Amino acid sequence: MTPFAVCYDEIDLETEERRILAAFTRRLVEIAALSRSDVETFNSQNALNMLRGPAVLLDLDGYVVGVNLSAVEAFDNDVRVKDRRLLIRDIEARAKLRTFTDQLKSQPFQLTPPADPLIVPRQDKLPILLRIWPIDPAARWPSPEVRALLTLNALGPKPGPPAPILAKAFGLTPSEAKLACIIARGAGPEIAAIELKISRETARNQLKSIFAKTGTHRQSELVALLLQVH
């Protein structure tokens, strides 16, 4: 079985969609805050690093003018920056990004981003969802050359919230907090049992206790709650 297939087996797609939506909503708030910030307060690079997820800034010609630390960690052979260009290995995704950058010059500004994210396939990993946020030239962004913000969501298992914080927030025992941390990633109790080296019955009993302490009844409801903890 390839690593790509393993990732699909371990991911609850509904949970992954909830995770993306939560991150997407946070970025909307962050982007709105940045667009209203005083130009003299901070430069574009500092502003970019305030975003929790990977993000890239493009100018009118489609050149990269800023990359935050999260994006640097997410880059690989399939998506990276070279010579101030965002390089995408996949031909179709690269062509779609090129079409957008060409539109930066030829079309008037539109506030809303494309309805669907740009799907960027990767060779041995799940794809990256790339969303493009046009920036109004009149916006109070720290740099007048910035015309688009690209946010990237690399699909795949991600670390859950810190177990000590979950324990304090919901009154969980240390073992319950560790289980909740794994559940927050989208893994089921069976996978959690294997990782924690406990029996499935113990994992199920601990999950019932977590449900009771958090006031939730389903795993999807629990995950949605846990993902609010940072």
Side-chain angles (χ1 to χ4, degrees):
M1 181 178 292
T2 65
F4 186 77
V6 170
C7 286
Y8 268 121
D9 288 342
E10 294 181 351
I11 286 184
D12 181 328
L13 293 182
E14 179 183 353
T15 299
E16 188 64 26
E17 290 175 356
R18 288 177 179 273
R19 186 194 305 278
I20 292 172
L21 179 59
F24 180 65
T25 303
R26 287 196 299 270
R27 289 195 183 116
L28 281 177
V29 176
E30 292 164 341
I31 292 166
L34 293 178
S35 68
R36 292 177 173 82
S37 298
D38 188 342
V39 173
E40 297 179 354
T41 303
F42 49 80
N43 59 38
S44 59
Q45 188 59 49
N46 289 338
L48 201 58
N49 282 324
M50 290 174 63
L51 297 176
R52 293 182 179 87
V56 177
L57 294 177
L58 299 182
D59 66 10
L60 185 62
D61 297 309
Y63 284 101
V64 174
V65 295
V67 175
N68 69 1
L69 298 177
S70 295
V72 173
E73 294 176 356
F75 290 153
D76 53 23
N77 290 332
D78 297 294
V79 182
R80 69 187 190 280
V81 173
K82 182 179 181 181
D83 298 329
R84 295 190 59 209
R85 287 288 188 184
L86 184 64
L87 298 183
I88 297 177
R89 180 191 293 269
D90 182 76
I91 296 176
E92 182 178 352
R94 185 168 67 239
K96 290 181 178 179
L97 179 61
R98 179 70 185 192
T99 297
F100 167 76
T101 55
D102 289 343
Q103 291 174 350
L104 284 177
K105 284 186 173 181
S106 62
Q107 295 185 3
F109 169 76
Q110 295 180 348
L111 179 62
T112 56
D116 297 322
L118 177 61
I119 308 299
V120 182
R122 293 188 288 177
Q123 287 188 322
D124 57 354
K125 304 175 184 177
L126 287 170
I128 284 179
L129 304 186
L130 191 156
R131 285 184 169 86
I132 304 168
W133 302 89
I135 295 176
D136 189 341
R140 297 173 62 189
W141 189 271
S143 175
E145 62 184 320
V146 174
R147 294 300 300 275
L149 171 69
L150 276 57
T151 57
L152 299 84
N153 279 304
L155 300 184
K158 297 176 177 65
I165 295 181
L166 293 180
K168 291 181 179 180
F170 303 109
L172 305 179
T173 66
S175 57
E176 289 171 349
K178 291 178 182 179
L179 177 66
C181 185
I182 296 174
I183 295 296
R185 292 182 353 221
E190 293 78 12
I191 294 177
I194 295 174
E195 290 192 27
L196 296 173
K197 298 181 180 180
I198 59 178
S199 68
R200 293 186 179 184
E201 182 179 359
T202 298
R204 285 193 291 267
N205 288 335
Q206 289 182 354
L207 183 57
K208 290 179 181 179
S209 177
I210 295 171
F211 281 147
K213 292 179 179 180
T214 57
T216 56
H217 302 86
R218 297 185 304 167
Q219 185 171 332
S220 59
E221 185 181 359
L222 173 62
V223 171
L225 175 63
L226 297 177
L227 290 180
Q228 298 179 47
V229 180
H230 305 297

